[in-house]
Amino acid sequence: MNSRRRDFDHKKRIVVKVGSSTISHGTGKLNYRRMEHLVRELADLQNQGKEMILVSSGATNAGMAPLNLDHRPKSIREKQALAAVGQGVLMHTYERLFREYGQVVGQVLLTRMDSQDRSKFMHSRNALLTMIDMGIIPIINENDVVAVDEYKIGDNDTLSAMVSGLVDANLLILLSDIDGLYTDNPRTHSDAKIISYVDNIDKHIYDIAGDAGSSMGTGGMYTKIQAAAIATAADVDMVIASGSEDDIVSRICAGEDVGTLFKAKETPLHSKKRWLVSGSKATGKLIVDKGCRDAIIDKGSSLLPVGITAVEGLFEEGDIVSVVYDGLTIAKGISNYGSVHINAIKGRQSADIAEVLGHNGIFDEVIHRDNLVVMY
């Protein structure tokens, strides 16, 4: 995890995610100075020939001032009402600032529903790619006004990683109130050191992530590591950096060694696997042993029943499930069997499937490698 040279000159399509804590004051109201600096950077990079996409938090905070609130409400309905007001305020502010620098922006509100179904995933992808081709800078947020738990993406770290895979981005930059991943929580451990380069997101990386989020944001460092797993699996480099530093986006794009770089796996994915990584939500979990884990990661094997030790959740044939080893999601895929049948064949050889399941046992693999994407 030592520092490596960053050659980002060729990175053309760049997603920048900005958190609530970066563009808001401690009062919860918008920080116009920070927003103006961010917009100026993105507009200048767009003028250089880059294709910039902005994922912005802050809608709920933006709705606080017009409603004369000094704290966020707790109920879902009140938060949705606040977001409805704040989305307009936030977008108006961005539109005005970008227009001053000669850029056209367009608002895109997404929910998990827009990416869960593969056809909707492709429609969202095509719409965003058309905007980019037309020179429009998309400004993306989750549609908090209508999203319910079943269809909530959950946080904009995850959303930005999904968007990066959706539009075939080359680089994802997460701007936060912390300047990268540390060996320990720097707020409680003065000897903590920043980790400049991560080429493998293993359990150790999750363990040291801790809880580094601020009270204004919804995503701590753990969610940023989850976002990195999604982005890097989709062949997208990701950098976590401080949103309070001057010209931070430009400096990252110029290859300056700031923040923490999570290196992409450099394994181009076809459209189905890109959807599995970037859009799909797992409905269950398959717990596997080490031999199965090694076969999937090191050899690109299919998931066979012999390596499955436990099944979590209820799901049907054709549903998307996570493959988990030692508490870490190592892969996602489309299951050939439902949870009831997998429980019946787990730990068994493929040759035993037909005997156990009868006419239902028509596949040798629980997940075929063509429908399986490694996240590790």
Side-chain angles (χ1 to χ4, degrees):
M1 287 186 276
N2 294 325
S3 177
R4 313 280 181 90
R5 183 174 179 273
R6 304 181 185 186
D7 182 13
F8 288 166
D9 288 344
H10 65 290
K11 305 288 188 186
K12 182 176 182 181
R13 187 166 296 165
I14 302 168
V15 177
V16 176
K17 181 264 177 179
V18 59
S20 299
S21 58
T22 298
I23 61 170
S24 301
H25 291 289
T27 61
K29 297 180 181 180
L30 292 177
N31 186 328
Y32 294 117
R33 181 184 65 83
R34 286 249 187 102
M35 291 183 72
E36 195 276 335
H37 285 182
L38 174 68
V39 166
R40 183 174 58 197
E41 276 199 277
L42 268 57
D44 189 57
L45 288 165
Q46 185 90 356
N47 285 343
Q48 294 174 31
K50 307 286 189 183
E51 296 170 341
M52 307 304 296
I53 300 100
L54 176 62
V55 176
S56 178
S57 301
T60 303
N61 287 353
M64 291 172 62
L67 295 174
N68 297 315
L69 298 177
D70 57 5
H71 64 277
R72 286 192 183 197
K74 293 183 178 180
S75 76
I76 296 295
R77 289 183 298 173
E78 288 177 309
K79 288 179 180 178
Q80 289 174 321
L82 205 60
V85 173
Q87 283 289 1
V89 174
L90 188 66
M91 192 62 197
H92 172 73
T93 303
Y94 276 129
E95 194 279 332
R96 177 174 53 81
L97 291 171
F98 272 108
R99 180 160 31 90
E100 289 179 359
Y101 290 99
Q103 302 295 340
V104 177
V105 298
Q107 183 180 38
V108 180
L109 299 176
L110 296 174
T111 67
R112 176 75 72 175
M113 190 187 307
D114 298 311
S115 58
Q116 184 70 16
D117 180 83
R118 193 177 173 203
S119 64
K120 291 180 179 178
F121 175 88
M122 294 306 296
H123 287 315
S124 299
R125 170 183 167 86
N126 291 337
L128 283 167
L129 292 179
T130 300
M131 292 174 68
I132 293 169
D133 287 343
M134 294 176 67
I136 301 168
I137 298 177
I139 300 179
I140 303 170
N141 198 355
E142 183 165 16
N143 194 346
D144 293 322
V145 179
V146 300
V148 293
D149 286 345
E150 182 180 359
Y151 293 117
K152 280 188 70 67
I153 295 165
D155 63 85
N156 277 348
D157 294 329
T158 302
L159 174 61
S160 64
M162 289 171 52
V163 168
S164 298
L166 193 68
V167 301
D168 303 335
N170 308 123
L171 177 63
L172 167 61
I173 300 172
L174 294 189
L175 299 182
S176 177
D177 55 356
I178 191 167
D179 54 351
L181 176 66
Y182 280 77
T183 54
D184 213 321
N185 190 335
R187 293 169 180 163
T188 57
H189 295 77
S190 59
D191 59 343
K193 294 180 174 58
I194 196 166
I195 300 171
S196 176
Y197 186 96
V198 176
D199 60 1
N200 185 36
I201 303 171
D202 55 17
K203 194 172 187 297
H204 173 66
I205 296 298
Y206 278 102
D207 288 342
I208 65 175
D211 181 14
S214 73
S215 60
M216 295 302 298
T218 58
M221 185 56 71
Y222 194 87
T223 66
K224 291 172 175 55
I225 303 303
Q226 290 178 313
I230 295 171
T232 55
D235 193 24
V236 181
D237 286 337
M238 191 187 100
V239 175
I240 298 174
S242 171
S244 64
E245 292 191 31
D246 291 338
D247 302 322
I248 188 65
V249 177
S250 302
R251 289 160 55 198
I252 291 170
C253 291
E256 186 174 329
D257 186 12
V258 292
T260 301
L261 167 63
F262 296 82
K263 190 61 182 171
K265 295 186 181 300
E266 298 182 355
T267 51
L269 302 176
H270 58 67
S271 61
K272 183 193 291 185
K273 290 195 173 185
R274 189 169 289 274
W275 165 64
L276 283 171
V277 170
S278 304
S280 61
K281 181 179 182 180
T283 57
K285 295 179 180 180
L286 300 178
I287 315 302
V288 300
D289 59 26
K290 187 177 187 303
C292 183
R293 175 256 184 216
D294 293 344
I296 290 172
I297 293 176
D298 299 334
K299 301 177 182 178
S301 300
S302 299
L303 173 59
L304 304 179
V306 67
I308 300 174
T309 61
V311 181
E312 294 184 7
L314 294 175
F315 52 89
E316 302 296 329
E317 171 190 340
D319 283 350
I320 296 160
V321 296
S322 297
V323 181
V324 177
Y325 172 74
D326 194 25
L328 187 67
T329 297
I330 62 169
K332 288 171 68 177
I334 302 172
S335 180
N336 286 330
Y337 296 103
S339 53
V340 173
H341 285 160
I342 298 176
N343 261 314
I345 62 174
K346 68 179 186 292
R348 304 288 292 265
Q349 296 292 331
S350 295
D352 299 333
I353 295 177
E355 179 184 346
V356 175
L357 298 182
H359 68 277
N360 292 309
I362 59 175
F363 298 102
D364 290 336
E365 313 89 0
V366 173
I367 304 177
H368 192 276
R369 63 185 179 184
D370 289 345
N371 295 324
L372 186 68
V373 59
V374 174
M375 302 288 294
Y376 186 79

